[in-house]
Amino acid sequence: MTTEAILPAHDVADLGRAAEGLRRIEWAEREMPVLRLVRERFERDRPLDGIRVGACLHVTTETANLMRTLKAGGAQVVLAASNPLSTKDDVAAALVAEYGIATFARRGEDRDTYYDHLKSVADTHPQITMDDGCDLVSLLHSDRPDQVKEVLAGTEETTTGVLRLKAMAADGALGFPVVAVNEALTKHLFDNRYGTGQSTVDGIVRATNMLIAGRKVVIAGYGWVGKGIASRMAGHGAHVAVVEVDPVRALEALMDGFAVMTHADAARWGELFVTATGNLNVFRREHFEAMRDGAVMANSGHFDAELDLAALRDLAEGHVREVRDNVQEFDLGGKKLHLVAEGRLVNLGAAEGHPAAVMDMSFANQALSAEYVAKHHAELEPRVYVVPEAIDAEVARLKLAALGIQLEPMTPEQAAYVASWQHGT
Ligand SMILES: NC(=O)c1ccc[n+]([C@@H]2O[C@H](COP(=O)([O-])OP(=O)(O)OC[C@H]3O[C@@H](n4cnc5c(N)ncnc54)[C@H](O)[C@@H]3O)[C@@H](O)[C@H]2O)c1
């Protein structure tokens, strides 16, 4: 443990929990072989030497391993939480006391503290930003325009953040290039789908202890996250219905074997509702009014805006109580509705977020994208970039190798055949 006198700047709940956090970070590391290989190379090559990296990410065991990797690459790293409820306080403590990484995050922090923590990151004048939801980039552009020119480039972890960045770029408001890590195939095909799928079920079950088998589950949004949740719920024996606004995705859900219905019909039919749209007020007053007594709601989209919580509170007229850890009961008079993890990301608020094995790929993409922008920022324009294909392929190759799985190589004859146009019927 680092001695108190030389601890980095921090605001965490309890440094006394550092040893517990260290144990859990090391446990996660066992499932992150790709990131470990990147870290070992970073230690040798120091591709981020002296670069100030400001990160706004969920403070979890997996993020701790990413922070270690960036530090091993020579970066000066500062971390704040990207959600008030996702911080693991033991991990935050270990980052400060065991790894000497400046960390600003307390689970359950209020909105002002959340933004004070982001400001602490901004105060270090980051040259690379690493966001999950675009809050750090937004803060720099709205409150600190003079600092924008100091930023070489950024990276963004999630769908919602990428949408916000694309909107900024379309408005001509984005001041530096950002690599959309979410767009890497080795990120969203696995993290959004299998990671969020499993951990969303985990969060709901931990919070409520409900039996999924036989339950009528409504999933709003059939994107990567929604598909993952729907397939995992079905795997537990749920009856799954999907609500979509996109015709192709609705058709996909139907042919994957799920019922497709409107929010109004789903509100009457469902027993458990999970949102994963990245949109606003997906379930709102009229839906709450139609839901059955005992219905449970949770959200796995990035912001706590998918359920209209103001309307829910209004309907309950103050009759809200915590009935279990992470479960609030809203008494609407004739019936009671339940909300898990305050409508925030349920997999992080009520469970541990994605399993490390999947974050291995997402965060290897993050580390390699940071290395890429450190090397190539001068050639990039202020817009949103996809992760270079070479990085995506390298992450997949390393993951397969770590799992001991070999790819079948094409024979020279096959390689020539697929590259030619002369062959026909
Ligand atoms: N919980 C987590 O750990 C985690 C992980 C990854 C992504 N996310 C977040 O989850 C959200 C979804 O991500 P994704 O990658 O699946 O995005 P996506 O764009 O692939 O899917 C979103 C889907 O929601 C649909 N949709 C939009 N508005 C809707 C509405 N009003 N009703 C029904 N459907 C609607 C869209 O048509 C789309 O198919 C984003 O906010 C993303 O940032 C969370």
Side-chain angles (χ1 to χ4, degrees):
M1 184 158 167
T2 315
T3 60
E4 182 70 36
I6 53 165
L7 287 180
H10 62 274
D11 183 24
V12 300
D14 180 6
L15 282 178
R17 295 184 62 190
E20 183 191 338
L22 178 66
R23 272 198 311 276
R24 295 203 313 113
I25 293 166
E26 288 174 349
W27 177 255
E29 204 263 353
R30 295 166 63 95
E31 291 273 323
M32 304 183 86
V34 180
L35 194 62
R36 186 184 323 128
L37 285 173
V38 173
R39 188 171 71 244
E40 285 163 7
R41 181 172 65 71
F42 273 21
E43 268 161 12
R44 293 192 299 275
D45 298 351
R46 309 270 297 172
L48 303 173
D49 211 10
I51 295 181
R52 296 185 299 276
V53 176
C56 173
L57 300 170
H58 300 296
V59 180
T60 62
T61 54
E62 296 82 17
T63 298
N65 283 305
L66 172 61
M67 297 299 104
R68 293 173 62 197
T69 306
L70 301 175
K71 191 177 174 188
Q76 295 165 32
V77 189
V78 187
L79 171 68
S82 59
N83 184 297
L85 215 55
S86 63
T87 296
K88 308 302 172 197
D89 286 326
D90 58 336
V91 172
L95 275 163
V96 173
E98 300 287 349
Y99 295 111
I101 291 171
T103 303
F104 299 88
R106 291 166 175 268
R107 185 174 197 274
E109 60 197 18
D110 60 20
R111 197 172 183 281
D112 287 346
T113 310
Y114 178 79
Y115 277 99
D116 283 348
H117 286 164
L118 270 188
K119 286 178 198 156
S120 299
V121 174
D123 287 346
T124 65
H125 294 258
Q127 295 165 292
I128 292 180
T129 61
M130 194 169 275
D131 246 327
D132 187 332
C134 191
D135 277 351
L136 180 57
V137 170
S138 289
L139 178 116
L140 288 173
H141 282 76
S142 50
D143 295 356
R144 312 215 177 174
D146 291 348
Q147 271 185 241
V148 169
K149 58 181 177 305
E150 299 171 3
V151 181
L152 308 175
T155 64
E156 169 56 53
E157 173 77 5
T158 197
T159 317
T160 286
V162 173
L163 285 176
R164 293 173 86 188
L165 288 163
K166 285 185 176 164
M168 287 176 79
D171 272 355
L174 186 62
F176 48 80
V178 182
V179 174
V181 170
N182 186 69
E183 310 300 88
L185 295 175
T186 48
K187 197 277 182 181
H188 65 256
L189 287 182
F190 306 101
D191 168 316
N192 299 31
R193 187 164 42 166
Y194 302 118
T196 317
Q198 177 176 316
S199 58
T200 296
V201 176
D202 183 12
I204 292 168
V205 170
R206 283 194 207 197
T208 62
N209 195 26
M210 73 164 59
L211 179 69
I212 301 293
R215 199 160 301 252
K216 292 179 178 163
V217 179
V218 176
I219 314 290
Y222 202 64
W224 296 109
V225 171
K227 287 187 229 286
I229 301 170
S231 80
R232 271 48 201 157
M233 287 290 182
H236 281 279
H239 303 284
V240 176
V242 167
V243 185
E244 250 298 342
V245 293
D246 178 306
V248 175
R249 293 222 157 138
L251 207 52
E252 196 183 357
L254 193 71
M255 300 219 180
D256 284 344
F258 304 122
V260 176
M261 51 180 85
T262 61
H263 286 305
D265 289 341
R268 283 190 296 276
W269 178 83
E271 295 168 309
L272 166 64
F273 298 83
V274 189
T275 51
T277 68
N279 211 337
L280 180 77
N281 296 338
V282 174
F283 287 108
R284 43 191 187 270
R285 178 179 289 266
E286 63 264 35
H287 304 129
F288 304 142
E289 284 171 343
M291 284 177 191
R292 69 179 71 204
D293 179 34
V296 174
M297 290 177 277
N299 165 50
S300 232
H302 187 77
F303 288 116
D304 59 341
E306 304 214 10
L307 301 162
D308 184 352
L309 298 179
L312 187 58
R313 275 191 291 269
D314 196 41
L315 283 169
E317 295 175 348
H319 300 293
V320 183
R321 63 185 185 120
E322 181 108 358
V323 281
R324 283 171 63 94
D325 283 354
N326 284 318
V327 184
Q328 287 168 301
E329 179 187 85
F330 291 74
D331 190 339
L332 272 58
K335 66 180 176 195
K336 289 168 177 149
L337 300 181
H338 297 116
L339 176 69
V340 185
E342 300 173 18
R344 298 189 189 278
L345 298 158
V346 66
N347 59 329
L348 282 141
E352 294 177 62
H354 299 21
V358 86
M359 294 315 293
D360 188 26
M361 290 187 279
S362 306
F363 283 168
N365 273 298
Q366 279 284 8
L368 294 175
S369 295
E371 176 184 38
Y372 174 80
V373 295
K375 209 183 276 178
H376 295 285
H377 62 88
E379 303 145 35
L380 305 177
E381 292 162 17
R383 61 182 176 84
V384 180
Y385 286 84
V386 295
V387 173
E389 263 178 46
I391 292 182
D392 221 348
E394 174 73 353
V395 171
R397 198 184 58 75
L398 291 174
K399 188 72 175 176
L400 283 172
L403 294 169
I405 291 166
Q406 285 192 327
L407 278 185
E408 173 69 25
M410 275 198 248
T411 64
E413 183 194 25
Q414 290 168 340
Y417 178 76
V418 295
S420 73
W421 55 270
Q422 288 93 345
H423 298 278
T425 345

